[in-house]
Amino acid sequence: MAMRWLLLTLALCLPSIATAAEQEGVPECLGCHTLTADVAVHAVFQTVHGGLGGGGSGSCVSCHGASEEHALDPTAMPGVSFGPRRESAAAERAGACLGCHSGGGALHWAGSEHQREGMVCDSCHDSHRQQDPALTDTQAQQACLSCHTRVQAELLLPSRHPIAEGKTNCGDCHNPHGSLGEASLHQASVNDSCLQCHQEKRGPFLWEHPPAAEDCSLCHRPHGAIHERLLTARGPALCQQCHVAAFHPSLPYGAEGLAGGSGNQNVLGKNCLNCHSQVHGSNHPSGARLTR
Ligand code: HEC
Ligand code: HEC
Ligand code: HEC
Ligand code: HEC
Ligand code: HEC
Ligand code: HEC
Ligand code: HEC
Ligand code: HEC
Ligand code: HEC
Ligand code: HEC
């Protein structure tokens, strides 16, 4: 930091830096923020943003604002400041990006969970890195998990989506900028999210199982679960949440549907799936009971 100050102060003293722009009264950003003084800042020229505003100092102004006061007296802050010493409020900082990015992936930013939590674009994005960390899957995921510790724990459960392994990613299902769907999902519903990759579970089936057509999360957890196949519950218990009154429960029920009583010996203790294997729906002509 001391070195940067020194270089910048030197730059200020050198008459050769007082370029044409100064004749108009305001020195150019790059007159002081030289490559040698601000190597890290200049990485912006290795990104798509380097060409904004015609390139050069024009790019700086596109995000940081005209900043004339600052250019004349560097102790004053620039129009929009993002760094640790920033003076710009959250809305102002986000506004600097939204001027160009209010459409596309960030269309539903306003009112999104992250916006309401006071996060801004630069909470995740760093425009002065050749490779914006938010755009690399592994770094983005680490950032997500640093706040979402419950999800992080779910990724370690015995049954899990291969998220930590990098085969699926938070961004495959969620839009961190918010969406119209629940839980900021890219797709309008949970099912549409799942069916992007598990197309074979998409109906219509000759014999549908209503809960599968309705909501995969009635039986599955999206991130991880203690039961195999990401299931919310094990074996017959899963099915008997809804099929309490089935005439052949695997767990014995009395006439009132309460535990106790006698069960059918053929199914007692058996997993419903032994026979009803097609829980997602069946296309077999005689698959009415989802058995084939
Ligand atoms: C007269 C020299 C000079 C000019 C011209 C200049 N700056 Fe600076 N700027 C500085 C100095 C000195 C600092 C503080 C150095 C540091 O701490 O890194 C600074 C800091 C900054 C910061 C960081 C503020 C923070 O958050 O701490 C930004 C952003 C910035 N300048 C943008 C600009 C922009 C945009 C322009 C052109 C409109 C510009 N500067 C023109 C000298 C200048
Ligand atoms: C695409 C928008 C964008 C452009 C273009 C841009 N900046 Fe920045 N700048 C940012 C953001 C965002 C940060 C905060 C980065 C972070 O989170 O560390 C920042 C931070 C800075 C800082 C403070 C660094 C620190 O460590 O505190 C300086 C100085 C700076 N920019 C100068 C410039 C200059 C000079 C230019 C033109 C060469 C420029 N910026 C172009 C968005 C931009
Ligand atoms: C003056 C307009 C402008 C401003 C201001 C601006 N951007 Fe951009 N940004 C662009 C353009 C143009 C592109 C390239 C085309 C595209 O992807 O939309 C881009 C691309 C991006 C990308 C994708 C980069 C890539 O490599 O694919 C990200 C991320 C991004 N901007 C974030 C930001 C953030 C964060 C800010 C505020 C700190 C910001 N932008 C400010 C115009 C702007
Ligand atoms: C919670 C972290 C986070 C925040 C906050 C965030 N982004 Fe992003 N952004 C990402 C990630 C991760 C990606 C990579 C693409 C993806 O997974 O959807 C991305 C991608 C982008 C892209 C390029 C692809 C696209 O979706 O168009 C742009 C542009 C962008 N962000 C702009 C913004 C702007 C503008 C803001 C502030 C209004 C912002 N981001 C806030 C995490 C974030
Ligand atoms: C700085 C902390 C922080 C970071 C980083 C962060 N989040 Fe969040 N996120 C929150 C908070 C706080 C909430 C609101 C409370 C909650 O649901 O946990 C939230 C909410 C969410 C929600 C629920 C949204 C809704 O509409 O219900 C999703 C999904 C989400 N974040 C995904 C992500 C993803 C993906 C990333 C990485 C790209 C990420 N978050 C990065 C703090 C963070
Ligand atoms: C395979 C798709 C998928 C992936 C990958 C995924 N999620 Fe989710 N996530 C969902 C679904 C679906 C929900 C909604 C669950 C519900 O409504 O029952 C959800 C809910 C959430 C929520 C809000 C509710 C909660 O459980 O706290 C957060 C936060 C969240 N996810 C964060 C993340 C993060 C962080 C990652 C990456 C590490 C991630 N998700 C990866 C599908 C996914
Ligand atoms: C981005 C693609 C993607 C999306 C979206 C997705 N999955 Fe997956 N899913 C995978 C991959 C990859 C595997 C691992 C397959 C393998 O290892 O053979 C998997 C495996 C599974 C498994 C089997 C787990 C096991 O232990 O064998 C279940 C159940 C599952 N997904 C349910 C869902 C549900 C429910 C959703 C919606 C919330 C969903 N998936 C969304 C890619 C995805
Ligand atoms: C009624 C409960 C239930 C619903 C609803 C449900 N599943 Fe399943 N799913 C199961 C069971 C039980 C298994 C385990 C089957 C086995 O081990 O043979 C399973 C297994 C899977 C598997 C891994 C094995 C395979 O068959 O590929 C995937 C992937 C899967 N489900 C995706 C989905 C998707 C996507 C949805 C929503 C469209 C969904 N499931 C809805 C109960 C359900
Ligand atoms: C979320 C509630 C729910 C869960 C959990 C559930 N089902 Fe269903 N199931 C239904 C509904 C609703 C129907 C349609 C009932 C009807 O048409 O009368 C149905 C129908 C069936 C049918 C066909 C019955 C018929 O009359 O054609 C079978 C077989 C079946 N389920 C087996 C299972 C099995 C096996 C499981 C566990 C893997 C399971 N179900 C889990 C709600 C559920
Ligand atoms: C030993 C094989 C077997 C097992 C185990 C089994 N079922 Fe069945 N189930 C069948 C057969 C065969 C039928 C069709 C009977 C018929 O059509 O008369 C059936 C019919 C059904 C029906 C439709 C009932 C109706 O009223 O039409 C439901 C619902 C059902 N089973 C749910 C379950 C549930 C829930 C479990 C686990 C608790 C289970 N089954 C375990 C073989 C089995």
Side-chain angles (χ1 to χ4, degrees), residues 161 190-203 205 209-220 228-233 235 238-239 242-243 271 273 276-280:
H161 253 134
V190 171
N191 277 31
D192 286 341
S193 302
C194 309
L195 294 170
Q196 283 180 100
C197 297
H198 300 290
Q199 289 189 35
E200 74 288 355
K201 303 284 186 284
R202 187 192 292 278
F205 293 103
H209 192 199
E214 190 188 322
D215 188 350
C216 312
S217 66
L218 286 169
C219 298
H220 295 287
E228 61 171 11
R229 304 290 192 197
L230 295 169
L231 289 169
T232 53
L238 173 71
C239 313
C242 298
H243 294 288
N271 193 333
L273 292 166
H276 302 286
S277 57
Q278 305 303 307
V279 280
H280 302 102

Side-chain angles (χ1 to χ4, degrees), residues 244-245 252-262:
V244 188
Y253 283 103
E256 308 82 23
L258 299 171
S262 62

Side-chain angles (χ1 to χ4, degrees), residues 203-210 212 278-292:
F205 293 103
L206 184 55
W207 308 105
E208 293 219 322
H209 192 199
Q278 305 303 307
V279 280
H280 302 102
S282 167
N283 279 323
H284 194 282
S286 43
R289 304 298 183 221
L290 309 176
T291 50
R292 64 190 92 192

